[in-house]
Amino acid sequence: MLLGSTAYDWRCVSYSRAGPTYFHVHVQAVCRWTTSQPATIDRFVNYYSARSWQCRV
């Protein structure tokens, strides 16, 4: 879930009766999982663009 407009505003969310709980997204782990490569580098092109993350192998 995107809670703002910068590259670091992504959060995972878990819903329960008490309300939503937000967790930090570990971008390097996401890159490793999506590329199936253990050696990846996560980076963003523009801090002010939340959708500018890249995974480099």
Side-chain angles (χ1 to χ4, degrees):
M1 170 178 271
L2 185 59
L3 297 179
S5 61
T6 69
Y8 290 112
D9 288 333
W10 286 102
R11 299 289 182 272
C12 290
V13 62
S14 175
Y15 295 100
S16 69
R17 292 182 188 192
T21 303
Y22 299 97
F23 302 94
H24 174 73
V25 175
H26 192 275
V27 179
Q28 188 175 30
V30 172
C31 285
R32 288 178 181 163
W33 185 78
T34 58
T35 62
S36 300
Q37 298 290 323
T40 60
I41 297 172
D42 57 296
R43 66 180 292 266
F44 54 84
V45 177
N46 181 355
Y47 172 80
Y48 296 103
S49 176
R51 291 175 170 79
S52 68
W53 280 102
Q54 297 178 344
C55 299
R56 303 284 177 106
V57 180

